[in-house]
Protein backbone atom coordinates (compact mmCIF):
# COMPACT_ATOMS: atom_id res chain seq x y z
CA UNK A 1 0.00 0.00 0.00
CA UNK A 2 1.11 3.55 -0.74
CA UNK A 3 1.63 5.10 2.69
CA UNK A 4 2.76 8.60 1.61
CA UNK A 5 -0.13 10.01 3.61
CA UNK A 6 1.51 8.78 6.82
CA UNK A 7 4.67 10.78 6.08
CA UNK A 8 2.69 13.81 4.92
CA UNK A 9 1.06 13.96 8.35
CA UNK A 10 4.42 13.85 10.11
CA UNK A 11 3.88 10.41 11.60
CA UNK A 12 6.78 8.16 12.40
CA UNK A 13 7.28 4.67 13.76
CA UNK A 14 7.37 6.19 17.27
CA UNK A 15 5.30 9.24 18.05
CA UNK A 16 4.90 11.56 21.00
CA UNK A 17 1.58 10.88 22.62
CA UNK A 18 1.98 13.86 24.90
CA UNK A 19 2.16 17.31 23.39
CA UNK A 20 1.48 20.88 24.38
CA UNK A 21 1.52 22.06 20.80
CA UNK A 22 5.13 22.69 19.81
CA UNK A 23 7.37 19.79 20.52
CA UNK A 24 6.16 16.53 21.91
CA UNK A 25 7.23 14.91 25.13
CA UNK A 26 8.36 11.40 24.69
CA UNK A 27 8.11 8.61 27.17
CA UNK A 28 10.27 5.71 26.19
CA UNK A 29 8.69 3.32 28.69
CA UNK A 30 5.22 2.58 27.44
CA UNK A 31 3.44 2.80 24.12
CA UNK A 32 0.15 2.16 22.44
CA UNK A 33 0.64 0.26 19.19
CA UNK A 34 -1.78 1.24 16.49
CA UNK A 35 -2.72 -1.70 14.30
CA UNK A 36 -4.82 -1.10 11.23
CA UNK A 37 -8.01 -3.16 11.11
CA UNK A 38 -7.65 -2.94 7.31
CA UNK A 39 -4.64 -5.24 6.97
CA UNK A 40 -3.50 -5.88 10.55
CA UNK A 41 -0.24 -3.99 10.04
CA UNK A 42 1.26 -1.91 12.81
CA UNK A 43 1.02 1.67 11.55
CA UNK A 44 3.04 3.19 14.36
CA UNK A 45 3.36 3.58 18.11
CA UNK A 46 2.28 6.42 20.35
CA UNK A 47 3.86 7.02 23.75
CA UNK A 48 1.59 6.83 26.79
CA UNK A 49 1.36 9.95 28.95
CA UNK A 50 2.81 9.42 32.42
CA UNK A 51 1.15 11.03 35.47
CA UNK A 52 4.13 13.43 35.65
CA UNK A 53 3.69 14.39 32.01
CA UNK A 54 -0.02 14.85 32.60
CA UNK A 55 0.79 17.34 35.39
CA UNK A 56 3.15 19.21 33.08
CA UNK A 57 0.46 19.39 30.38
CA UNK A 58 -2.15 20.75 32.79
CA UNK A 59 0.30 23.31 34.14
CA UNK A 60 1.17 24.42 30.62
CA UNK A 61 -2.51 24.57 29.65
CA UNK A 62 -3.32 26.64 32.76
CA UNK A 63 -0.54 29.04 31.83
CA UNK A 64 -1.67 29.23 28.20
CA UNK A 65 -5.26 29.92 29.24
CA UNK A 66 -4.13 33.06 31.11
CA UNK A 67 -2.93 34.40 27.76
CA UNK A 68 -5.50 32.91 25.37
CA UNK A 69 -8.53 34.30 27.25
CA UNK A 70 -7.19 37.84 26.67
CA UNK A 71 -6.81 37.40 22.90
CA UNK A 72 -9.84 38.99 21.17
CA UNK A 73 -12.31 36.32 20.06
CA UNK A 74 -12.13 37.27 16.33
CA UNK A 75 -8.36 36.92 16.54
CA UNK A 76 -8.81 33.46 18.04
CA UNK A 77 -11.17 32.82 15.12
CA UNK A 78 -8.38 33.75 12.72
CA UNK A 79 -6.22 30.97 14.19
CA UNK A 80 -9.07 28.51 13.74
CA UNK A 81 -9.49 29.76 10.16
CA UNK A 82 -5.86 28.89 9.52
CA UNK A 83 -6.36 25.48 11.07
CA UNK A 84 -9.27 24.94 8.67
CA UNK A 85 -7.02 25.96 5.76
CA UNK A 86 -4.36 23.48 6.91
CA UNK A 87 -7.03 20.78 7.03
CA UNK A 88 -8.06 21.60 3.46
CA UNK A 89 -4.44 21.16 2.45
CA UNK A 90 -4.19 17.77 4.19
CA UNK A 91 -7.76 16.57 3.60
CA UNK A 92 -6.70 13.73 1.36
CA UNK A 93 -3.94 12.46 3.68
CA UNK A 94 -5.92 12.81 6.90
CA UNK A 95 -8.96 11.16 5.30
CA UNK A 96 -6.74 8.25 4.29
CA UNK A 97 -5.29 7.95 7.77
CA UNK A 98 -8.79 7.89 9.29
CA UNK A 99 -9.74 5.19 6.83
CA UNK A 100 -6.59 3.17 7.46
CA UNK A 101 -6.42 3.47 11.24
CA UNK A 102 -10.16 3.20 11.92
CA UNK A 103 -11.42 1.21 8.93
CA UNK A 104 -14.22 3.38 7.55
CA UNK A 105 -14.56 3.81 3.79
CA UNK A 106 -12.34 6.42 2.17
CA UNK A 107 -15.41 8.47 1.20
CA UNK A 108 -16.37 8.56 4.86
CA UNK A 109 -12.78 9.29 5.93
CA UNK A 110 -12.74 12.34 3.66
CA UNK A 111 -16.25 13.19 4.83
CA UNK A 112 -15.01 13.22 8.39
CA UNK A 113 -12.25 15.69 7.53
CA UNK A 114 -14.82 17.79 5.65
CA UNK A 115 -16.85 17.85 8.87
CA UNK A 116 -13.75 19.28 10.61
CA UNK A 117 -13.34 21.93 7.93
CA UNK A 118 -17.02 22.83 8.24
CA UNK A 119 -16.80 23.25 12.01
CA UNK A 120 -13.74 25.49 11.57
CA UNK A 121 -15.73 27.72 9.22
CA UNK A 122 -18.62 27.75 11.65
CA UNK A 123 -16.32 28.61 14.57
CA UNK A 124 -14.70 31.47 12.63
CA UNK A 125 -18.10 33.12 12.14
CA UNK A 126 -19.03 32.34 15.72
CA UNK A 127 -15.92 34.14 16.96
CA UNK A 128 -17.73 37.39 16.12
CA UNK A 129 -21.07 36.26 17.52
CA UNK A 130 -20.57 35.18 21.13
CA UNK A 131 -23.59 37.24 22.04
CA UNK A 132 -25.21 37.77 25.41
CA UNK A 133 -28.56 39.45 26.01
CA UNK A 134 -29.29 42.87 27.45
CA UNK A 135 -32.32 43.34 29.68
CA UNK A 136 -34.14 46.21 31.33
CA UNK A 137 -33.44 46.79 34.99
CA UNK A 138 -36.35 47.33 37.37
CA UNK A 139 -34.31 50.14 38.97
CA UNK A 140 -33.89 53.62 37.46
CA UNK A 141 -30.57 54.50 35.82
CA UNK A 142 -29.40 50.91 35.96
CA UNK A 143 -28.33 48.71 33.12
CA UNK A 144 -28.30 44.91 32.99
CA UNK A 145 -26.70 42.58 30.55
CA UNK A 146 -25.06 39.21 30.38
CA UNK A 147 -21.79 38.24 28.84
CA UNK A 148 -19.95 35.01 28.16
CA UNK A 149 -16.41 34.46 29.39
CA UNK A 150 -14.03 31.59 28.66
CA UNK A 151 -14.25 28.64 31.03
CA UNK A 152 -10.66 27.40 31.21
CA UNK A 153 -9.38 23.97 30.26
CA UNK A 154 -11.79 21.82 28.28
CA UNK A 155 -11.04 18.09 28.47
CA UNK A 156 -12.06 16.11 25.40
CA UNK A 157 -12.31 12.31 25.56
CA UNK A 158 -13.15 10.96 22.14
CA UNK A 159 -14.08 7.59 20.64
CA UNK A 160 -12.48 5.55 17.86
CA UNK A 161 -15.37 5.81 15.41
CA UNK A 162 -14.96 9.52 14.64
CA UNK A 163 -11.30 9.81 15.59
CA UNK A 164 -10.84 13.37 14.31
CA UNK A 165 -14.23 15.08 13.73
CA UNK A 166 -15.65 14.84 17.23
CA UNK A 167 -12.50 16.37 18.73
CA UNK A 168 -12.75 19.23 16.24
CA UNK A 169 -16.42 19.93 17.09
CA UNK A 170 -15.30 20.46 20.65
CA UNK A 171 -11.88 21.95 20.14
CA UNK A 172 -12.65 24.51 17.43
CA UNK A 173 -15.65 25.87 19.34
CA UNK A 174 -13.75 25.85 22.64
CA UNK A 175 -10.79 27.67 21.07
CA UNK A 176 -12.84 30.57 19.71
CA UNK A 177 -14.57 30.74 23.10
CA UNK A 178 -11.14 31.37 24.66
CA UNK A 179 -10.68 27.98 26.27
CA UNK A 180 -7.68 25.72 25.95
CA UNK A 181 -8.12 22.03 25.17
CA UNK A 182 -6.64 18.80 26.49
CA UNK A 183 -7.52 15.88 24.25
CA UNK A 184 -7.38 12.19 25.03
CA UNK A 185 -8.13 10.29 21.81
CA UNK A 186 -9.28 6.70 21.75
CA UNK A 187 -6.57 4.10 22.31
CA UNK A 188 -7.88 2.47 19.15
CA UNK A 189 -7.02 5.43 16.91
CA UNK A 190 -4.18 7.33 18.58
CA UNK A 191 -2.32 8.25 15.39
CA UNK A 192 -5.28 10.31 14.21
CA UNK A 193 -4.80 12.38 17.36
CA UNK A 194 -1.08 12.82 16.73
CA UNK A 195 -1.77 13.86 13.11
CA UNK A 196 -4.27 16.55 14.18
CA UNK A 197 -1.85 17.79 16.81
CA UNK A 198 0.97 17.94 14.24
CA UNK A 199 -1.20 20.13 12.02
CA UNK A 200 -1.96 22.32 15.04
CA UNK A 201 1.75 22.61 15.91
CA UNK A 202 2.48 24.12 12.49
CA UNK A 203 -0.34 26.68 12.80
CA UNK A 204 0.76 27.49 16.37
CA UNK A 205 4.39 28.00 15.27
CA UNK A 206 3.39 30.15 12.25
CA UNK A 207 1.49 32.43 14.62
CA UNK A 208 3.95 32.37 17.50
CA UNK A 209 1.36 30.99 19.85
CA UNK A 210 2.49 29.81 23.26
CA UNK A 211 2.45 26.12 24.09
CA UNK A 212 -0.51 24.72 25.95
CA UNK A 213 -3.46 25.94 23.87
CA UNK A 214 -4.16 22.62 22.16
CA UNK A 215 -2.79 19.65 24.07
CA UNK A 216 -2.67 15.92 23.56
CA UNK A 217 -2.46 13.13 26.10
CA UNK A 218 -2.65 9.40 25.45
CA UNK A 219 -3.30 6.26 27.42
CA UNK A 220 -6.07 4.02 28.67
CA UNK A 221 -8.97 4.93 30.93
CA UNK A 222 -6.59 5.81 33.79
CA UNK A 223 -5.54 8.98 31.98
CA UNK A 224 -9.22 9.69 31.37
CA UNK A 225 -9.77 9.32 35.11
CA UNK A 226 -7.03 11.83 35.88
CA UNK A 227 -8.96 14.24 33.68
CA UNK A 228 -12.42 13.57 35.07
CA UNK A 229 -11.16 13.93 38.65
CA UNK A 230 -9.19 17.09 37.92
CA UNK A 231 -10.70 20.24 39.44
CA UNK A 232 -8.58 22.30 37.06
CA UNK A 233 -10.73 21.06 34.15
CA UNK A 234 -14.14 22.77 34.43
CA UNK A 235 -15.67 20.95 31.46
CA UNK A 236 -15.24 17.36 30.29
CA UNK A 237 -16.73 16.51 26.92
CA UNK A 238 -16.85 12.74 26.48
CA UNK A 239 -17.99 10.58 23.59
CA UNK A 240 -18.34 6.82 23.87
CA UNK A 241 -20.41 4.09 25.47
CA UNK A 242 -23.16 4.69 27.99
CA UNK A 243 -21.15 2.70 30.52
CA UNK A 244 -18.17 5.02 30.12
CA UNK A 245 -20.44 8.09 30.17
CA UNK A 246 -22.02 7.11 33.47
CA UNK A 247 -18.59 6.79 35.08
CA UNK A 248 -17.47 10.14 33.67
CA UNK A 249 -20.70 11.88 34.73
CA UNK A 250 -20.46 10.60 38.30
CA UNK A 251 -16.83 11.55 38.76
CA UNK A 252 -17.24 15.00 37.23
CA UNK A 253 -20.47 15.65 39.17
CA UNK A 254 -18.76 14.67 42.43
CA UNK A 255 -16.54 17.74 42.04
CA UNK A 256 -19.44 19.79 40.59
CA UNK A 257 -17.73 20.10 37.24
CA UNK A 258 -19.65 20.22 33.98
CA UNK A 259 -19.86 17.29 31.63
CA UNK A 260 -21.05 17.13 28.04
CA UNK A 261 -21.91 13.58 27.08
CA UNK A 262 -22.54 12.05 23.70
CA UNK A 263 -23.13 8.35 24.30
CA UNK A 264 -24.90 5.44 22.71
CA UNK A 265 -27.69 5.54 20.16
CA UNK A 266 -30.24 2.99 19.01
CA UNK A 267 -31.60 4.80 16.05
CA UNK A 268 -34.70 3.83 14.10
CA UNK A 269 -36.36 4.77 10.84
CA UNK A 270 -40.14 4.53 10.70
CA UNK A 271 -41.27 3.55 7.21
CA UNK A 272 -44.86 4.59 6.58
CA UNK A 273 -47.35 3.50 3.90
CA UNK A 274 -46.61 6.63 1.81
CA UNK A 275 -42.80 6.34 2.00
CA UNK A 276 -40.80 6.91 -1.19
CA UNK A 277 -39.01 3.58 -1.64
CA UNK A 278 -35.88 5.02 -3.30
CA UNK A 279 -35.29 7.26 -0.30
CA UNK A 280 -35.96 4.40 2.09
CA UNK A 281 -33.37 2.18 0.46
CA UNK A 282 -30.58 4.75 0.30
CA UNK A 283 -31.29 6.14 3.79
CA UNK A 284 -31.56 2.76 5.48
CA UNK A 285 -28.63 1.21 3.64
CA UNK A 286 -26.15 4.01 4.31
CA UNK A 287 -27.46 4.39 7.86
CA UNK A 288 -27.04 0.70 8.67
CA UNK A 289 -23.77 -0.22 6.94
CA UNK A 290 -21.94 3.15 6.81
CA UNK A 291 -18.82 3.08 9.03
CA UNK A 292 -19.63 -0.65 9.31
CA UNK A 293 -22.48 0.18 11.71
CA UNK A 294 -20.12 1.95 14.11
CA UNK A 295 -21.63 5.43 14.13
CA UNK A 296 -23.52 6.61 17.19
CA UNK A 297 -26.11 7.59 14.60
CA UNK A 298 -26.11 4.25 12.72
CA UNK A 299 -29.55 2.96 11.78
CA UNK A 300 -30.18 -0.11 13.93
CA UNK A 301 -33.94 -0.57 13.61
CA UNK A 302 -36.47 -0.26 10.79
CA UNK A 303 -40.03 0.03 12.03
CA UNK A 304 -42.05 -0.78 8.93
CA UNK A 305 -45.77 -0.46 8.27
CA UNK A 306 -47.24 -3.91 7.68
CA UNK A 307 -48.47 -2.90 4.21
CA UNK A 308 -44.88 -2.24 3.03
CA UNK A 309 -43.05 -4.80 5.14
CA UNK A 310 -42.32 -7.53 2.58
CA UNK A 311 -41.42 -4.98 -0.08
CA UNK A 312 -38.89 -3.18 2.14
CA UNK A 313 -37.45 -6.44 3.43
CA UNK A 314 -36.98 -7.97 -0.02
CA UNK A 315 -35.56 -4.85 -1.68
CA UNK A 316 -33.19 -4.25 1.18
CA UNK A 317 -32.01 -7.87 1.16
CA UNK A 318 -31.30 -7.48 -2.55
CA UNK A 319 -29.38 -4.25 -1.98
CA UNK A 320 -27.31 -5.95 0.76
CA UNK A 321 -26.42 -8.57 -1.81
CA UNK A 322 -24.74 -5.89 -3.91
CA UNK A 323 -22.59 -4.47 -1.10
CA UNK A 324 -18.87 -4.71 -1.64
CA UNK A 325 -16.93 -5.44 1.52
CA UNK A 326 -13.17 -5.12 1.72
CA UNK A 327 -10.24 -2.71 1.93
CA UNK A 328 -11.92 0.62 2.73
CA UNK A 329 -9.15 2.55 0.96
CA UNK A 330 -10.24 0.90 -2.26
CA UNK A 331 -13.01 3.18 -3.44
CA UNK A 332 -15.05 0.42 -5.02
CA UNK A 333 -15.79 -1.03 -1.57
CA UNK A 334 -18.73 0.24 0.45
CA UNK A 335 -17.90 -1.37 3.79
CA UNK A 336 -14.60 -1.87 5.60
CA UNK A 337 -13.74 -3.88 8.71
CA UNK A 338 -14.89 -3.52 12.31
CA UNK A 339 -12.38 -1.79 14.57
CA UNK A 340 -10.93 -4.94 16.19
CA UNK A 341 -11.44 -8.63 16.92
CA UNK A 342 -13.19 -7.91 20.19
CA UNK A 343 -15.79 -6.02 18.22
CA UNK A 344 -16.21 -8.96 15.86
CA UNK A 345 -16.77 -11.18 18.90
CA UNK A 346 -19.48 -8.85 20.23
CA UNK A 347 -21.14 -8.82 16.81
CA UNK A 348 -21.10 -12.64 16.59
CA UNK A 349 -22.53 -12.93 20.09
CA UNK A 350 -25.33 -10.52 19.19
CA UNK A 351 -26.25 -12.69 16.21
CA UNK A 352 -26.37 -15.70 18.56
CA UNK A 353 -28.57 -13.67 20.88
CA UNK A 354 -30.97 -12.82 18.07
CA UNK A 355 -31.30 -16.47 17.10
CA UNK A 356 -31.76 -17.51 20.73
CA UNK A 357 -34.66 -15.15 21.21
CA UNK A 358 -36.35 -16.45 18.05
CA UNK A 359 -35.30 -13.75 15.59
CA UNK A 360 -34.95 -14.76 11.96
CA UNK A 361 -31.98 -13.78 9.81
CA UNK A 362 -33.09 -12.24 6.50
CA UNK A 363 -29.50 -11.60 5.46
CA UNK A 364 -27.03 -13.84 7.28
CA UNK A 365 -24.06 -12.36 9.09
CA UNK A 366 -20.68 -13.81 9.96
CA UNK A 367 -16.97 -13.19 9.78
CA UNK A 368 -15.39 -12.92 6.35
CA UNK A 369 -12.01 -14.57 6.08
CA UNK A 370 -9.17 -13.79 3.70
CA UNK A 371 -9.65 -10.04 3.44
CA UNK A 372 -6.49 -8.76 5.11
CA UNK A 373 -7.43 -8.97 8.79
CA UNK A 374 -9.79 -10.86 11.08
CA UNK A 375 -12.06 -7.84 11.43
CA UNK A 376 -14.25 -8.05 8.33
CA UNK A 377 -17.88 -9.08 8.80
CA UNK A 378 -21.05 -9.30 6.75
CA UNK A 379 -23.66 -6.63 7.35
CA UNK A 380 -26.80 -8.55 8.29
CA UNK A 381 -30.54 -8.10 8.70
CA UNK A 382 -32.76 -9.79 11.29
CA UNK A 383 -36.55 -9.92 11.66
CA UNK A 384 -37.53 -9.53 15.30
CA UNK A 385 -40.58 -8.77 17.42
CA UNK A 386 -40.94 -5.09 18.45
CA UNK A 387 -40.18 -6.04 22.07
CA UNK A 388 -36.95 -7.89 21.18
CA UNK A 389 -34.36 -7.71 23.96
CA UNK A 390 -31.49 -7.64 21.48
CA UNK A 391 -32.96 -4.65 19.65
CA UNK A 392 -32.91 -2.69 22.92
CA UNK A 393 -29.13 -2.79 22.95
CA UNK A 394 -26.64 -0.84 20.93
CA UNK A 395 -24.36 -3.41 19.30
CA UNK A 396 -21.68 -1.36 17.56
CA UNK A 397 -21.77 -3.41 14.34
CA UNK A 398 -23.79 -3.68 11.12
CA UNK A 399 -26.85 -5.50 12.42
CA UNK A 400 -30.19 -4.14 11.25
CA UNK A 401 -33.45 -5.16 12.96
CA UNK A 402 -36.75 -5.17 11.05
CA UNK A 403 -40.04 -4.96 12.89
CA UNK A 404 -43.67 -4.43 11.86
CA UNK A 405 -46.21 -1.83 12.98
CA UNK A 406 -49.91 -1.24 12.34
CA UNK A 407 -50.53 2.44 13.20
CA UNK A 408 -48.30 5.44 13.74
CA UNK A 409 -48.92 5.63 17.49
CA UNK A 410 -47.58 2.13 17.80
CA UNK A 411 -44.59 2.94 15.57
CA UNK A 412 -43.65 5.96 17.67
CA UNK A 413 -44.05 3.93 20.83
CA UNK A 414 -41.68 1.26 19.52
CA UNK A 415 -39.23 3.91 18.32
CA UNK A 416 -39.17 5.54 21.78
CA UNK A 417 -39.12 2.29 23.76
CA UNK A 418 -35.32 1.93 23.88
CA UNK A 419 -33.06 3.38 26.59
CA UNK A 420 -31.10 5.54 24.13
CA UNK A 421 -32.32 8.75 22.47
CA UNK A 422 -29.89 10.02 19.85
CA UNK A 423 -31.26 9.97 16.30
CA UNK A 424 -34.49 9.00 14.56
CA UNK A 425 -36.21 9.37 11.21
CA UNK A 426 -39.51 8.91 9.45
CA UNK A 427 -40.00 8.16 5.77
CA UNK A 428 -43.32 9.63 4.68
CA UNK A 429 -44.88 11.88 2.07
CA UNK A 430 -47.80 12.58 4.39
CA UNK A 431 -47.56 15.94 6.16
CA UNK A 432 -49.73 14.84 9.07
CA UNK A 433 -47.44 11.90 9.79
CA UNK A 434 -44.22 13.89 9.59
CA UNK A 435 -45.56 16.68 11.81
CA UNK A 436 -46.84 14.16 14.33
CA UNK A 437 -43.39 12.56 14.40
CA UNK A 438 -41.76 15.94 15.09
CA UNK A 439 -44.36 17.04 17.67
CA UNK A 440 -43.99 16.72 21.45
CA UNK A 441 -45.79 13.37 21.23
CA UNK A 442 -43.46 12.13 18.50
CA UNK A 443 -39.80 11.11 18.56
CA UNK A 444 -38.06 11.52 21.92
CA UNK A 445 -34.60 11.81 20.34
CA UNK A 446 -32.16 14.72 20.07
CA UNK A 447 -32.26 14.35 16.29
CA UNK A 448 -35.45 13.67 14.32
CA UNK A 449 -35.33 13.63 10.52
CA UNK A 450 -37.89 13.39 7.75
CA UNK A 451 -37.06 11.55 4.53
CA UNK A 452 -33.38 11.18 5.30
CA UNK A 453 -31.63 8.51 7.36
CA UNK A 454 -30.50 8.71 10.98
CA UNK A 455 -26.79 9.33 10.35
CA UNK A 456 -24.82 12.04 8.60
CA UNK A 457 -25.92 15.09 10.60
CA UNK A 458 -24.59 18.47 9.46
CA UNK A 459 -22.40 20.42 11.88
CA UNK A 460 -24.65 23.51 11.87
CA UNK A 461 -27.22 21.95 14.18
CA UNK A 462 -26.70 21.03 17.82
CA UNK A 463 -25.68 17.37 17.93
CA UNK A 464 -26.57 15.00 20.75
CA UNK A 465 -29.41 13.10 22.34
CA UNK A 466 -31.60 12.36 25.31
CA UNK A 467 -31.95 9.56 27.87
CA UNK A 468 -28.92 7.24 27.94
CA UNK A 469 -27.34 9.22 25.12
CA UNK A 470 -26.40 11.63 27.87
CA UNK A 471 -28.16 14.92 27.07
CA UNK A 472 -25.15 16.85 25.75
CA UNK A 473 -25.16 19.03 22.66
CA UNK A 474 -22.06 19.62 20.57
CA UNK A 475 -21.03 21.41 17.35
CA UNK A 476 -23.49 23.97 15.89
CA UNK A 477 -26.41 26.16 16.95
CA UNK A 478 -25.83 27.54 20.47
CA UNK A 479 -23.85 24.51 21.72
CA UNK A 480 -20.95 26.98 22.25
CA UNK A 481 -22.61 28.23 25.44
CA UNK A 482 -21.53 25.08 27.30
CA UNK A 483 -17.91 26.06 26.66
CA UNK A 484 -18.29 29.43 28.36
CA UNK A 485 -19.37 30.79 31.71
CA UNK A 486 -22.26 33.24 31.78
CA UNK A 487 -22.00 36.37 33.84
CA UNK A 488 -24.91 38.70 34.61
CA UNK A 489 -23.86 42.31 35.11
CA UNK A 490 -25.90 45.09 36.72
CA UNK A 491 -24.49 48.60 36.50
CA UNK A 492 -25.79 51.53 38.51
CA UNK A 493 -25.06 54.93 36.94
CA UNK A 494 -27.32 56.91 39.31
CA UNK A 495 -26.36 58.73 42.50
CA UNK A 496 -28.67 56.52 44.62
CA UNK A 497 -28.46 52.88 45.59
CA UNK A 498 -32.02 51.58 45.29
CA UNK A 499 -32.42 47.93 46.27
CA UNK A 500 -34.17 45.42 44.03
CA UNK A 501 -37.64 44.16 44.99
CA UNK A 502 -38.33 47.63 46.48
CA UNK A 503 -36.67 46.72 49.79
CA UNK A 504 -35.88 49.70 52.01
CA UNK A 505 -32.85 49.48 54.22
CA UNK A 506 -32.16 52.75 56.03
CA UNK A 507 -30.08 53.42 59.10
C1 LIG B 1 -20.70 9.74 16.10
O1 LIG B 1 -21.00 8.67 15.60
O2 LIG B 1 -20.21 9.80 17.25
O3 LIG B 1 -24.23 12.37 12.22
C2 LIG B 1 -20.80 11.03 15.41
C3 LIG B 1 -23.27 11.65 11.91
C4 LIG B 1 -21.89 12.25 11.95
C5 LIG B 1 -21.37 12.25 13.34
C6 LIG B 1 -21.51 10.96 14.09
N1 LIG B 1 -21.96 13.60 11.46
O4 LIG B 1 -23.40 10.49 11.54
Amino acid sequence: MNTDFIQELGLEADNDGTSTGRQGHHNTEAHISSHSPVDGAQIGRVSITTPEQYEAVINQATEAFRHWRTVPAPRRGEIVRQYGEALREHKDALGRLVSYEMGKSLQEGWGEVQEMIDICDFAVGLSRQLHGLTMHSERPLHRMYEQYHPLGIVGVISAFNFPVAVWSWNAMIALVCGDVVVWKPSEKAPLCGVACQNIWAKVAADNDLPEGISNLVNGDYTIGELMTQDKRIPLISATGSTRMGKAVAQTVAARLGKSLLELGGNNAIIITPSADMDLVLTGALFGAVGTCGQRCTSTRRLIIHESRYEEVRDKLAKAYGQLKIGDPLDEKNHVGPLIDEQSVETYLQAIEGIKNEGGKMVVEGGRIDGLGSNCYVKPCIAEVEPDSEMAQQETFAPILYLMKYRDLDEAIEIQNSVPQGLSSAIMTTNLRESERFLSPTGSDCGIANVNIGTSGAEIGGAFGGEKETGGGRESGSDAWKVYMRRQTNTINYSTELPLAQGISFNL
Side-chain angles (χ1 to χ4, degrees), residues 82-393:
Q82 290 181 33
Y83 193 76
E85 285 301 300
L87 287 172
R88 284 181 168 89
E89 200 181 308
H90 297 295
K91 178 174 171 180
D92 180 65
L94 190 54
R96 281 176 198 277
L97 177 67
V98 168
S99 180
Y100 190 44
E101 190 177 35
M102 184 275 155
K104 65 176 69 175
S105 74
L106 188 51
Q107 278 295 326
E108 292 181 272
W110 285 326
E112 190 173 340
V113 183
Q114 187 57 47
E115 204 162 325
M116 301 176 80
I117 294 168
D118 294 342
I119 199 75
C120 287
D121 288 354
F122 180 92
V124 175
L126 181 67
S127 71
R128 291 181 187 269
Q129 299 175 80
L130 301 169
H131 306 305
L133 297 172
T134 63
M135 48 290 278
H136 288 261
S137 169
E138 66 188 54
R139 288 167 282 185
L141 304 180
H142 280 56
R143 185 163 74 83
M144 271 176 85
Y145 74 109
E146 63 185 14
Q147 53 177 339
Y148 287 87
H149 289 313
L151 262 187
I153 303 176
V154 173
V156 179
I157 298 173
S158 64
F160 75 85
N161 64 334
F162 273 78
V164 293
V166 172
W167 164 73
S168 74
W169 297 349
N170 286 280
M172 297 307 130
I173 302 288
L175 289 177
V176 297
C177 288
D179 301 320
V180 298
V181 179
V182 175
W183 178 21
K184 183 201 138 352
S186 164
E187 288 162 87
K188 297 177 182 176
L191 290 169
C192 282
V194 174
C196 291
Q197 184 70 354
N198 286 349
I199 298 172
W200 170 263
K202 166 94 172 53
V203 174
D206 288 351
N207 290 276
D208 257 329
L209 296 181
E211 289 192 49
I213 294 174
S214 173
N215 305 278
L216 184 69
V217 294
N218 269 283
D220 61 9
Y221 70 95
T222 53
I223 197 92
E225 271 175 7
L226 287 180
M227 293 169 71
T228 53
Q229 289 163 0
D230 198 330
K231 286 197 177 112
R232 296 165 294 181
I233 306 184
L235 171 66
I236 295 282
S237 174
T239 307
S241 67
T242 296
R243 196 168 60 89
M244 177 280 295
K246 283 182 180 165
V248 167
Q250 285 175 24
T251 310
V252 176
R255 61 176 172 89
L256 298 183
K258 293 208 269 184
S259 50
L260 192 176
L261 302 173
E262 201 257 285
L263 311 174
N266 190 348
N267 317 297
I269 304 179
I270 296 176
I271 299 166
T272 69
S274 70
D276 178 328
M277 196 47 61
D278 290 341
L279 306 191
V280 167
L281 289 178
T282 312
L285 193 63
F286 180 72
V289 310
T291 320
C292 203
Q294 298 169 109
R295 292 191 186 213
C296 302
T297 52
S298 290
T299 305
R300 310 214 176 275
R301 300 176 294 146
L302 296 186
I303 305 165
I304 309 165
H305 189 261
E306 55 186 0
S307 66
R308 307 290 298 271
Y309 186 82
E310 278 84 21
E311 182 193 0
V312 173
R313 182 193 61 197
D314 297 347
K315 288 197 163 146
L316 210 54
K318 201 163 154 228
Y320 267 56
Q322 288 160 12
L323 284 174
K324 294 198 177 67
I325 303 152
D327 178 354
L329 287 146
D330 180 342
E331 282 193 77
K332 76 170 194 310
N333 290 325
H334 305 104
V335 183
L338 285 172
I339 185 68
D340 56 19
E341 289 184 38
Q342 175 60 50
S343 226
V344 174
E345 222 25 72
T346 309
Y347 154 91
L348 293 172
Q349 278 165 14
I351 293 174
E352 271 316 295
I354 294 164
K355 291 180 179 163
N356 288 343
E357 69 172 22
K360 180 168 164 262
M361 300 310 290
V362 175
V363 173
E364 288 287 346
R367 193 200 301 268
I368 309 176
D369 294 322
L371 277 184
S373 80
N374 293 326
C375 303
Y376 292 85
V377 299
K378 289 188 204 131
C380 61
I381 303 180
E383 284 182 316
V384 296
E385 293 301 319
D387 62 357
S388 151
E389 270 298 312
M390 292 308 297
Q392 291 276 312
Q393 299 165 26

